[in-house]
Amino acid sequence: MSDVVVTFLPDNVAVTVKSGTNLFEAATLAGIELQSSCGHKGTCGRCVVEVKEGKVQAKEGGRLSKKGGKPGQVLACQAIVTETVTVEIPSDSRLTEHQVLLANREEKAILEEKPLELEGYAFQPLSIKVFLELEPPTILGAADDLSRLRSALKPYGFTDVSIDTRVLRQLGEVLRSSNWQVTLTINRLEDRAEIIAVEPGDQSRRSYGIALDIGTTTVVAYLVDLLTGKTIDRQGGYNRQSRYGDDVISRIIYANSNPNGLSDLSGAVTETVNRLLGKLCDRNRIRPEEIGILVSAGNTTMGHLFYGINPKYIRFEPYVPTVTDYPVVKAQELGININPAGWIVSLPAVASYVGGDIVSGVLVTGVARQHALTLFIDIGTNGEIVLGNNEWLMACACSAGPAFEGGGITFGMRAMDGAIERVKINPDTHEVQVETIGSKKPMGICGSGLIDLIAQMRELDIIDRTGKFSELDGHPRLRRENGEAEFVLVWGKDTECKKDIVVTESDLKTLIYSKGAVFAGILSLVKQVGVSLEDIEKVIIAGGFGNYLNIRDAVAIGLLPDLPPERYEFVGNSSVKGAKLALLSEPAFKEAKALGRSITYVELSSGNLFMNEFISALFLPHTNLELFPSLAS
């Protein structure tokens, strides 16, 4: 195949690719990320680009969304390059860095930084440094170098310690060149201890680890000082697997329907993690080799892809993953840029759709240590739910779909600059005021904005309980386009994309399906256990999306139970906080392992309970209004 040059505007970046490459792949090679939620099938219509010079071959079947449709516009994933071309990428087709929750919300924050209290767990980091001053060998005392190290470590409680082969190869030289004064980095977990680094001199004042949350949409890393327990710095970004699909199912399908699918996805998350680590190291003047351990948490599919394990059977009944309790592996094996001999440790999953991120959240919020009946909810592309206390814990998962993160919505987008995150409709004039992330011109709407919008539309009778628009004659923002009713949220003259940002009846139906799935999951779990919603004493909302949730509006649309507001608590990213807790305390990690085994998983697809509850939840707020007494007029 011949080579062709693709130039991307307005970046003015050119890349050489093989003829037959699609524009999406070319953009990725050029370092430009495009929006996509369909795994390059052309069905989401988000990767719209405009061919300015040259020609491309467009595959049949691609669907341009309302964001596209101009002459020269094509879907990048469906446009094959056969000659040199120049392409312009609209701002609303780009996947830019989006708002990632790195800390708690200020107003109802719990889990404050308590470095040495560790929520009641002993401070026992999984990686420590020990400075040793050894006696040089003599003719009369000629024990081998490793034996001398092991003997010197016995006073520190290490009776049986192994050593990484790479470190062993350098041991003799390092000991002698440092005059037998060295610092050991020792990783320990349960019955295993290993020397993963030997440094000349006293380097014991610098010891670092990483706590990592691998989310379907975002990845967050904490750089942690293992001597003090303090978080030195945080970094977050979007998961670069997003280019292959928005949710875990689309990524599982991609992994198994493309020749290099699994390696593409594993490589994308490795690239994401290494970018975050690189920024943390550069900003804090730390060498990657000084980081001896990384503790990760993520859903079960993300865990499999991080380890390069095919998640194929997570998708098929009886929904059994390859592994829930991940083995410790070396960083070099996964291509993670810390000390090559450093350990990658992952918190265990419960089942195919309740992963280590949920175990991590349950651990750090102390649900399993409290008598109060607690509902723990993490809302994202999946809704994972745990109910219980210190006597029992049950969990389930429901497919909320990507709507809360902008997927499947005409002008939906992730929480990036320009995303509408707050909506206010004037009750008299129905004029709309919006707030956007970064105070930028609107480009679309994210999950928190959608919930604001649908709650206010229902309150003002702009839509009925099924999500259909009311007949409001002469309303300037209601119209029909291509036979479908839609509401103009922002006029094109006021948007970054120069198009009217609209919400259609189909968008509302998608959102109602998503909220219905979450509430049906909650009610199904409650009924399985034999308690009532009123029995729930505390509701913990976790995750980045939940942190920006307006509880009043979430209850109004039937997403969350109608309970007193004081029972709700926001914990932000509990996944990364639990990973940090496990990093700093071996007893906490052991408890996480026990939680992975003890949480009872309820498969909602078994039986009719969930489906019956789901159908009942496809109204605003619900078919049974008695479940929402505070909304009674």
Side-chain angles (χ1 to χ4, degrees), residues 143-186:
D144 65 85
D145 295 341
L146 181 56
S147 295
R148 301 172 79 81
L149 278 186
R150 285 173 169 159
S151 295
L153 285 172
K154 287 181 180 179
Y156 296 91
F158 294 103
T159 57
D160 184 16
V161 60
S162 63
I163 187 169
D164 180 78
T165 304
R166 289 164 53 104
V167 178
L168 182 60
R169 289 171 183 153
Q170 303 167 3
L171 180 61
E173 194 63 39
V174 173
L175 287 172
R176 287 158 181 82
S177 64
S178 64
N179 196 28
W180 300 91
Q181 297 183 14
V182 292
T183 301
L184 309 184
T185 301
I186 302 173

mmCIF file of all heavy atoms in Angstrom, residues 143-186:
data_model
loop_
_atom_site.group_PDB
_atom_site.id
_atom_site.type_symbol
_atom_site.label_atom_id
_atom_site.label_comp_id
_atom_site.label_asym_id
_atom_site.label_seq_id
_atom_site.Cartn_x
_atom_site.Cartn_y
_atom_site.Cartn_z
ATOM 1 N N ALA A 143 30.223 -14.904 54.040
ATOM 2 C CA ALA A 143 28.850 -15.232 53.629
ATOM 3 C C ALA A 143 28.514 -14.456 52.352
ATOM 4 O O ALA A 143 28.998 -13.348 52.121
ATOM 5 C CB ALA A 143 27.874 -14.872 54.742
ATOM 6 N N ASP A 144 27.695 -15.046 51.503
ATOM 7 C CA ASP A 144 27.348 -14.378 50.246
ATOM 8 C C ASP A 144 26.571 -13.086 50.515
ATOM 9 O O ASP A 144 25.997 -12.883 51.578
ATOM 10 C CB ASP A 144 26.544 -15.318 49.350
ATOM 11 C CG ASP A 144 25.195 -15.675 49.939
ATOM 12 O OD1 ASP A 144 24.249 -14.889 49.731
ATOM 13 O OD2 ASP A 144 25.085 -16.724 50.610
ATOM 14 N N ASP A 145 26.537 -12.207 49.516
ATOM 15 C CA ASP A 145 25.954 -10.876 49.682
ATOM 16 C C ASP A 145 24.476 -10.928 50.059
ATOM 17 O O ASP A 145 24.012 -10.186 50.931
ATOM 18 C CB ASP A 145 26.111 -10.066 48.392
ATOM 19 C CG ASP A 145 27.572 -9.774 48.069
ATOM 20 O OD1 ASP A 145 28.413 -9.876 48.985
ATOM 21 O OD2 ASP A 145 27.856 -9.427 46.905
ATOM 22 N N LEU A 146 23.709 -11.778 49.392
ATOM 23 C CA LEU A 146 22.272 -11.843 49.669
ATOM 24 C C LEU A 146 22.026 -12.349 51.083
ATOM 25 O O LEU A 146 21.134 -11.843 51.786
ATOM 26 C CB LEU A 146 21.575 -12.736 48.638
ATOM 27 C CG LEU A 146 20.060 -12.864 48.792
ATOM 28 C CD1 LEU A 146 19.378 -11.485 48.765
ATOM 29 C CD2 LEU A 146 19.486 -13.751 47.701
ATOM 30 N N SER A 147 22.801 -13.328 51.524
ATOM 31 C CA SER A 147 22.639 -13.826 52.891
ATOM 32 C C SER A 147 22.920 -12.737 53.910
ATOM 33 O O SER A 147 22.251 -12.637 54.947
ATOM 34 C CB SER A 147 23.563 -15.017 53.134
ATOM 35 O OG SER A 147 23.202 -16.110 52.319
ATOM 36 N N ARG A 148 23.904 -11.880 53.639
ATOM 37 C CA ARG A 148 24.229 -10.786 54.549
ATOM 38 C C ARG A 148 23.056 -9.797 54.641
ATOM 39 O O ARG A 148 22.729 -9.293 55.713
ATOM 40 C CB ARG A 148 25.495 -10.079 54.086
ATOM 41 C CG ARG A 148 26.710 -10.999 54.021
ATOM 42 C CD ARG A 148 27.894 -10.302 53.375
ATOM 43 N NE ARG A 148 28.553 -9.402 54.316
ATOM 44 C CZ ARG A 148 29.442 -9.808 55.247
ATOM 45 N NH1 ARG A 148 29.738 -11.094 55.340
ATOM 46 N NH2 ARG A 148 30.006 -8.947 56.054
ATOM 47 N N LEU A 149 22.455 -9.538 53.467
ATOM 48 C CA LEU A 149 21.285 -8.658 53.475
ATOM 49 C C LEU A 149 20.155 -9.263 54.299
ATOM 50 O O LEU A 149 19.510 -8.578 55.110
ATOM 51 C CB LEU A 149 20.787 -8.408 52.050
ATOM 52 C CG LEU A 149 21.475 -7.346 51.202
ATOM 53 C CD1 LEU A 149 20.710 -7.177 49.889
ATOM 54 C CD2 LEU A 149 21.538 -6.017 51.923
ATOM 55 N N ARG A 150 19.883 -10.515 54.064
ATOM 56 C CA ARG A 150 18.770 -11.166 54.767
ATOM 57 C C ARG A 150 18.995 -11.178 56.273
ATOM 58 O O ARG A 150 18.069 -10.957 57.062
ATOM 59 C CB ARG A 150 18.587 -12.582 54.239
ATOM 60 C CG ARG A 150 17.923 -12.627 52.860
ATOM 61 C CD ARG A 150 17.906 -14.010 52.281
ATOM 62 N NE ARG A 150 17.032 -14.086 51.093
ATOM 63 C CZ ARG A 150 17.142 -15.033 50.167
ATOM 64 N NH1 ARG A 150 18.061 -15.993 50.285
ATOM 65 N NH2 ARG A 150 16.320 -15.030 49.146
ATOM 66 N N SER A 151 20.217 -11.411 56.699
ATOM 67 C CA SER A 151 20.517 -11.403 58.137
ATOM 68 C C SER A 151 20.306 -10.021 58.728
ATOM 69 O O SER A 151 19.766 -9.870 59.831
ATOM 70 C CB SER A 151 21.963 -11.852 58.375
ATOM 71 O OG SER A 151 22.141 -13.202 57.982
ATOM 72 N N ALA A 152 20.709 -8.985 57.981
ATOM 73 C CA ALA A 152 20.566 -7.614 58.478
ATOM 74 C C ALA A 152 19.104 -7.184 58.549
ATOM 75 O O ALA A 152 18.756 -6.256 59.289
ATOM 76 C CB ALA A 152 21.343 -6.662 57.572
ATOM 77 N N LEU A 153 18.244 -7.851 57.795
ATOM 78 C CA LEU A 153 16.823 -7.479 57.774
ATOM 79 C C LEU A 153 16.016 -8.149 58.872
ATOM 80 O O LEU A 153 14.873 -7.755 59.137
ATOM 81 C CB LEU A 153 16.213 -7.827 56.409
ATOM 82 C CG LEU A 153 16.580 -6.900 55.258
ATOM 83 C CD1 LEU A 153 16.071 -7.470 53.936
ATOM 84 C CD2 LEU A 153 16.012 -5.502 55.486
ATOM 85 N N LYS A 154 16.563 -9.158 59.540
ATOM 86 C CA LYS A 154 15.788 -9.877 60.559
ATOM 87 C C LYS A 154 15.300 -8.979 61.687
ATOM 88 O O LYS A 154 14.158 -9.116 62.149
ATOM 89 C CB LYS A 154 16.607 -11.051 61.099
ATOM 90 C CG LYS A 154 16.713 -12.199 60.109
ATOM 91 C CD LYS A 154 17.501 -13.372 60.682
ATOM 92 C CE LYS A 154 17.578 -14.502 59.655
ATOM 93 N NZ LYS A 154 18.371 -15.650 60.174
ATOM 94 N N PRO A 155 16.113 -8.013 62.158
ATOM 95 C CA PRO A 155 15.596 -7.118 63.214
ATOM 96 C C PRO A 155 14.402 -6.283 62.761
ATOM 97 O O PRO A 155 13.671 -5.746 63.606
ATOM 98 C CB PRO A 155 16.803 -6.217 63.523
ATOM 99 C CG PRO A 155 17.997 -7.007 63.118
ATOM 100 C CD PRO A 155 17.562 -7.785 61.919
ATOM 101 N N TYR A 156 14.175 -6.148 61.465
ATOM 102 C CA TYR A 156 13.037 -5.386 60.926
ATOM 103 C C TYR A 156 11.807 -6.273 60.702
ATOM 104 O O TYR A 156 10.803 -5.819 60.154
ATOM 105 C CB TYR A 156 13.423 -4.710 59.615
ATOM 106 C CG TYR A 156 14.513 -3.673 59.777
ATOM 107 C CD1 TYR A 156 15.856 -4.026 59.651
ATOM 108 C CD2 TYR A 156 14.212 -2.351 60.071
ATOM 109 C CE1 TYR A 156 16.864 -3.081 59.803
ATOM 110 C CE2 TYR A 156 15.210 -1.394 60.225
ATOM 111 C CZ TYR A 156 16.530 -1.768 60.091
ATOM 112 O OH TYR A 156 17.520 -0.827 60.246
ATOM 113 N N GLY A 157 11.906 -7.528 61.109
ATOM 114 C CA GLY A 157 10.766 -8.428 61.008
ATOM 115 C C GLY A 157 10.699 -9.230 59.728
ATOM 116 O O GLY A 157 9.713 -9.932 59.485
ATOM 117 N N PHE A 158 11.736 -9.173 58.903
ATOM 118 C CA PHE A 158 11.745 -9.923 57.649
ATOM 119 C C PHE A 158 12.573 -11.194 57.833
ATOM 120 O O PHE A 158 13.802 -11.167 57.837
ATOM 121 C CB PHE A 158 12.333 -9.079 56.515
ATOM 122 C CG PHE A 158 11.488 -7.892 56.151
ATOM 123 C CD1 PHE A 158 11.839 -6.626 56.579
ATOM 124 C CD2 PHE A 158 10.332 -8.053 55.397
ATOM 125 C CE1 PHE A 158 11.062 -5.525 56.250
ATOM 126 C CE2 PHE A 158 9.545 -6.961 55.063
ATOM 127 C CZ PHE A 158 9.908 -5.691 55.496
ATOM 128 N N THR A 159 11.882 -12.299 58.008
ATOM 129 C CA THR A 159 12.572 -13.572 58.203
ATOM 130 C C THR A 159 12.745 -14.329 56.891
ATOM 131 O O THR A 159 13.574 -15.226 56.797
ATOM 132 C CB THR A 159 11.789 -14.450 59.190
ATOM 133 O OG1 THR A 159 10.454 -14.630 58.702
ATOM 134 C CG2 THR A 159 11.743 -13.782 60.564
ATOM 135 N N ASP A 160 11.940 -13.984 55.894
ATOM 136 C CA ASP A 160 12.029 -14.681 54.613
ATOM 137 C C ASP A 160 11.725 -13.671 53.513
ATOM 138 O O ASP A 160 10.556 -13.361 53.249
ATOM 139 C CB ASP A 160 11.038 -15.845 54.561
ATOM 140 C CG ASP A 160 11.173 -16.651 53.268
ATOM 141 O OD1 ASP A 160 12.212 -16.497 52.583
ATOM 142 O OD2 ASP A 160 10.241 -17.406 52.938
ATOM 143 N N VAL A 161 12.738 -13.132 52.891
ATOM 144 C CA VAL A 161 12.556 -12.105 51.882
ATOM 145 C C VAL A 161 13.254 -12.535 50.592
ATOM 146 O O VAL A 161 14.381 -13.020 50.615
ATOM 147 C CB VAL A 161 13.084 -10.735 52.366
ATOM 148 C CG1 VAL A 161 14.573 -10.789 52.686
ATOM 149 C CG2 VAL A 161 12.792 -9.647 51.360
ATOM 150 N N SER A 162 12.552 -12.393 49.470
ATOM 151 C CA SER A 162 13.145 -12.713 48.170
ATOM 152 C C SER A 162 13.695 -11.437 47.551
ATOM 153 O O SER A 162 13.588 -10.349 48.116
ATOM 154 C CB SER A 162 12.094 -13.348 47.249
ATOM 155 O OG SER A 162 11.040 -12.437 46.986
ATOM 156 N N ILE A 163 14.288 -11.580 46.379
ATOM 157 C CA ILE A 163 14.873 -10.431 45.701
ATOM 158 C C ILE A 163 14.600 -10.545 44.211
ATOM 159 O O ILE A 163 14.653 -11.641 43.636
ATOM 160 C CB ILE A 163 16.391 -10.314 45.991
ATOM 161 C CG1 ILE A 163 16.955 -9.000 45.397
ATOM 162 C CG2 ILE A 163 17.140 -11.515 45.468
ATOM 163 C CD1 ILE A 163 18.364 -8.702 45.886
ATOM 164 N N ASP A 164 14.250 -9.419 43.584
ATOM 165 C CA ASP A 164 14.018 -9.411 42.149
ATOM 166 C C ASP A 164 15.309 -9.762 41.412
ATOM 167 O O ASP A 164 16.407 -9.333 41.793
ATOM 168 C CB ASP A 164 13.540 -8.022 41.717
ATOM 169 C CG ASP A 164 13.284 -7.932 40.241
ATOM 170 O OD1 ASP A 164 12.230 -8.406 39.787
ATOM 171 O OD2 ASP A 164 14.156 -7.391 39.525
ATOM 172 N N THR A 165 15.183 -10.540 40.355
ATOM 173 C CA THR A 165 16.369 -11.025 39.623
ATOM 174 C C THR A 165 17.196 -9.869 39.066
ATOM 175 O O THR A 165 18.437 -9.906 39.107
ATOM 176 C CB THR A 165 15.934 -11.956 38.484
ATOM 177 O OG1 THR A 165 15.148 -13.020 39.016
ATOM 178 C CG2 THR A 165 17.146 -12.536 37.775
ATOM 179 N N ARG A 166 16.554 -8.833 38.546
ATOM 180 C CA ARG A 166 17.293 -7.682 38.012
ATOM 181 C C ARG A 166 18.117 -7.017 39.106
ATOM 182 O O ARG A 166 19.256 -6.590 38.871
ATOM 183 C CB ARG A 166 16.307 -6.672 37.411
ATOM 184 C CG ARG A 166 15.641 -7.110 36.118
ATOM 185 C CD ARG A 166 14.420 -6.250 35.823
ATOM 186 N NE ARG A 166 14.725 -4.823 35.852
ATOM 187 C CZ ARG A 166 14.864 -4.064 34.764
ATOM 188 N NH1 ARG A 166 14.714 -4.603 33.570
ATOM 189 N NH2 ARG A 166 15.133 -2.784 34.863
ATOM 190 N N VAL A 167 17.532 -6.913 40.280
ATOM 191 C CA VAL A 167 18.241 -6.295 41.401
ATOM 192 C C VAL A 167 19.398 -7.183 41.849
ATOM 193 O O VAL A 167 20.494 -6.694 42.154
ATOM 194 C CB VAL A 167 17.266 -6.048 42.566
ATOM 195 C CG1 VAL A 167 17.990 -5.452 43.770
ATOM 196 C CG2 VAL A 167 16.138 -5.123 42.119
ATOM 197 N N LEU A 168 19.160 -8.487 41.874
ATOM 198 C CA LEU A 168 20.198 -9.428 42.285
ATOM 199 C C LEU A 168 21.430 -9.334 41.382
ATOM 200 O O LEU A 168 22.575 -9.418 41.853
ATOM 201 C CB LEU A 168 19.631 -10.848 42.267
ATOM 202 C CG LEU A 168 20.573 -11.969 42.708
ATOM 203 C CD1 LEU A 168 21.042 -11.755 44.141
ATOM 204 C CD2 LEU A 168 19.884 -13.322 42.570
ATOM 205 N N ARG A 169 21.205 -9.135 40.093
ATOM 206 C CA ARG A 169 22.328 -9.052 39.148
ATOM 207 C C ARG A 169 23.242 -7.858 39.425
ATOM 208 O O ARG A 169 24.420 -7.887 39.103
ATOM 209 C CB ARG A 169 21.791 -8.981 37.716
ATOM 210 C CG ARG A 169 21.188 -10.286 37.224
ATOM 211 C CD ARG A 169 20.477 -10.112 35.903
ATOM 212 N NE ARG A 169 19.848 -11.360 35.465
ATOM 213 C CZ ARG A 169 18.795 -11.426 34.677
ATOM 214 N NH1 ARG A 169 18.218 -10.303 34.239
ATOM 215 N NH2 ARG A 169 18.283 -12.598 34.323
ATOM 216 N N GLN A 170 22.680 -6.822 40.021
ATOM 217 C CA GLN A 170 23.462 -5.615 40.292
ATOM 218 C C GLN A 170 23.926 -5.535 41.745
ATOM 219 O O GLN A 170 24.659 -4.612 42.118
ATOM 220 C CB GLN A 170 22.610 -4.379 39.975
ATOM 221 C CG GLN A 170 22.085 -4.330 38.550
ATOM 222 C CD GLN A 170 21.008 -3.273 38.366
ATOM 223 O OE1 GLN A 170 20.690 -2.545 39.297
ATOM 224 N NE2 GLN A 170 20.445 -3.214 37.176
ATOM 225 N N LEU A 171 23.501 -6.469 42.567
ATOM 226 C CA LEU A 171 23.695 -6.370 44.004
ATOM 227 C C LEU A 171 25.158 -6.246 44.400
ATOM 228 O O LEU A 171 25.545 -5.355 45.168
ATOM 229 C CB LEU A 171 23.060 -7.574 44.703
ATOM 230 C CG LEU A 171 23.188 -7.618 46.234
ATOM 231 C CD1 LEU A 171 22.507 -6.405 46.860
ATOM 232 C CD2 LEU A 171 22.590 -8.912 46.784
ATOM 233 N N GLY A 172 26.006 -7.144 43.908
ATOM 234 C CA GLY A 172 27.409 -7.146 44.307
ATOM 235 C C GLY A 172 28.087 -5.823 44.019
ATOM 236 O O GLY A 172 28.826 -5.283 44.871
ATOM 237 N N GLU A 173 27.849 -5.263 42.840
ATOM 238 C CA GLU A 173 28.485 -4.001 42.466
ATOM 239 C C GLU A 173 27.990 -2.849 43.330
ATOM 240 O O GLU A 173 28.782 -1.998 43.772
ATOM 241 C CB GLU A 173 28.194 -3.713 40.989
ATOM 242 C CG GLU A 173 29.061 -2.631 40.375
ATOM 243 C CD GLU A 173 30.536 -3.013 40.361
ATOM 244 O OE1 GLU A 173 30.845 -4.200 40.111
ATOM 245 O OE2 GLU A 173 31.366 -2.113 40.599
ATOM 246 N N VAL A 174 26.663 -2.795 43.563
ATOM 247 C CA VAL A 174 26.105 -1.687 44.352
ATOM 248 C C VAL A 174 26.626 -1.731 45.787
ATOM 249 O O VAL A 174 27.000 -0.690 46.364
ATOM 250 C CB VAL A 174 24.561 -1.750 44.350
ATOM 251 C CG1 VAL A 174 23.974 -0.710 45.309
ATOM 252 C CG2 VAL A 174 24.023 -1.521 42.953
ATOM 253 N N LEU A 175 26.698 -2.904 46.400
ATOM 254 C CA LEU A 175 27.181 -3.015 47.774
ATOM 255 C C LEU A 175 28.615 -2.498 47.902
ATOM 256 O O LEU A 175 28.944 -1.745 48.833
ATOM 257 C CB LEU A 175 27.103 -4.469 48.244
ATOM 258 C CG LEU A 175 25.708 -5.026 48.541
ATOM 259 C CD1 LEU A 175 25.779 -6.527 48.798
ATOM 260 C CD2 LEU A 175 25.090 -4.324 49.752
ATOM 261 N N ARG A 176 29.444 -2.871 46.985
ATOM 262 C CA ARG A 176 30.857 -2.501 47.087
ATOM 263 C C ARG A 176 31.109 -1.039 46.707
ATOM 264 O O ARG A 176 31.935 -0.362 47.323
ATOM 265 C CB ARG A 176 31.698 -3.455 46.245
ATOM 266 C CG ARG A 176 31.791 -4.842 46.896
ATOM 267 C CD ARG A 176 32.133 -5.964 45.942
ATOM 268 N NE ARG A 176 32.179 -7.247 46.659
ATOM 269 C CZ ARG A 176 31.095 -7.973 46.937
ATOM 270 N NH1 ARG A 176 29.898 -7.563 46.569
ATOM 271 N NH2 ARG A 176 31.236 -9.115 47.602
ATOM 272 N N SER A 177 30.387 -0.568 45.709
ATOM 273 C CA SER A 177 30.599 0.828 45.310
ATOM 274 C C SER A 177 30.054 1.810 46.342
ATOM 275 O O SER A 177 30.451 2.977 46.378
ATOM 276 C CB SER A 177 29.929 1.093 43.956
ATOM 277 O OG SER A 177 28.518 0.943 44.047
ATOM 278 N N SER A 178 29.152 1.345 47.197
ATOM 279 C CA SER A 178 28.552 2.213 48.222
ATOM 280 C C SER A 178 29.175 1.990 49.598
ATOM 281 O O SER A 178 28.646 2.491 50.601
ATOM 282 C CB SER A 178 27.049 1.957 48.307
ATOM 283 O OG SER A 178 26.803 0.621 48.734
ATOM 284 N N ASN A 179 30.285 1.258 49.633
ATOM 285 C CA ASN A 179 30.961 0.967 50.902
ATOM 286 C C ASN A 179 30.016 0.269 51.877
ATOM 287 O O ASN A 179 30.013 0.533 53.064
ATOM 288 C CB ASN A 179 31.533 2.244 51.526
ATOM 289 C CG ASN A 179 32.548 1.951 52.613
ATOM 290 O OD1 ASN A 179 33.222 0.906 52.595
ATOM 291 N ND2 ASN A 179 32.671 2.859 53.571
ATOM 292 N N TRP A 180 29.157 -0.612 51.341
ATOM 293 C CA TRP A 180 28.275 -1.465 52.122
ATOM 294 C C TRP A 180 27.209 -0.680 52.896
ATOM 295 O O TRP A 180 26.676 -1.156 53.884
ATOM 296 C CB TRP A 180 29.088 -2.369 53.064
ATOM 297 C CG TRP A 180 30.026 -3.250 52.302
ATOM 298 C CD1 TRP A 180 31.314 -2.970 51.967
ATOM 299 C CD2 TRP A 180 29.725 -4.520 51.729
ATOM 300 N NE1 TRP A 180 31.858 -3.978 51.224
ATOM 301 C CE2 TRP A 180 30.900 -4.961 51.055
ATOM 302 C CE3 TRP A 180 28.590 -5.339 51.724
ATOM 303 C CZ2 TRP A 180 30.963 -6.162 50.387
ATOM 304 C CZ3 TRP A 180 28.662 -6.547 51.058
ATOM 305 C CH2 TRP A 180 29.845 -6.955 50.390
ATOM 306 N N GLN A 181 26.901 0.519 52.396
ATOM 307 C CA GLN A 181 25.805 1.306 52.956
ATOM 308 C C GLN A 181 24.747 1.475 51.864
ATOM 309 O O GLN A 181 24.980 2.185 50.886
ATOM 310 C CB GLN A 181 26.287 2.670 53.449
ATOM 311 C CG GLN A 181 27.294 2.569 54.580
ATOM 312 C CD GLN A 181 27.713 3.929 55.108
ATOM 313 O OE1 GLN A 181 27.076 4.936 54.811
ATOM 314 N NE2 GLN A 181 28.768 3.947 55.909
ATOM 315 N N VAL A 182 23.610 0.818 52.057
ATOM 316 C CA VAL A 182 22.605 0.784 50.994
ATOM 317 C C VAL A 182 21.199 0.963 51.571
ATOM 318 O O VAL A 182 20.964 0.731 52.759
ATOM 319 C CB VAL A 182 22.649 -0.548 50.210
ATOM 320 C CG1 VAL A 182 23.934 -0.671 49.407
ATOM 321 C CG2 VAL A 182 22.459 -1.737 51.146
ATOM 322 N N THR A 183 20.298 1.367 50.684
ATOM 323 C CA THR A 183 18.880 1.470 51.035
ATOM 324 C C THR A 183 18.099 0.454 50.210
ATOM 325 O O THR A 183 18.216 0.434 48.976
ATOM 326 C CB THR A 183 18.337 2.882 50.768
ATOM 327 O OG1 THR A 183 19.085 3.824 51.530
ATOM 328 C CG2 THR A 183 16.860 2.980 51.157
ATOM 329 N N LEU A 184 17.325 -0.362 50.884
ATOM 330 C CA LEU A 184 16.512 -1.372 50.223
ATOM 331 C C LEU A 184 15.066 -0.881 50.127
ATOM 332 O O LEU A 184 14.527 -0.317 51.084
ATOM 333 C CB LEU A 184 16.529 -2.691 50.995
ATOM 334 C CG LEU A 184 17.886 -3.281 51.401
ATOM 335 C CD1 LEU A 184 17.667 -4.631 52.075
ATOM 336 C CD2 LEU A 184 18.800 -3.417 50.200
ATOM 337 N N THR A 185 14.444 -1.108 48.982
ATOM 338 C CA THR A 185 12.998 -0.941 48.860
ATOM 339 C C THR A 185 12.391 -2.329 48.925
ATOM 340 O O THR A 185 12.715 -3.194 48.098
ATOM 341 C CB THR A 185 12.610 -0.255 47.541
ATOM 342 O OG1 THR A 185 13.240 1.020 47.474
ATOM 343 C CG2 THR A 185 11.098 -0.069 47.466
ATOM 344 N N ILE A 186 11.522 -2.536 49.910
ATOM 345 C CA ILE A 186 10.944 -3.863 50.138
ATOM 346 C C ILE A 186 9.420 -3.755 50.021
ATOM 347 O O ILE A 186 8.785 -2.964 50.730
ATOM 348 C CB ILE A 186 11.316 -4.405 51.524
ATOM 349 C CG1 ILE A 186 12.843 -4.460 51.676
ATOM 350 C CG2 ILE A 186 10.710 -5.792 51.728
ATOM 351 C CD1 ILE A 186 13.298 -4.835 53.073
#
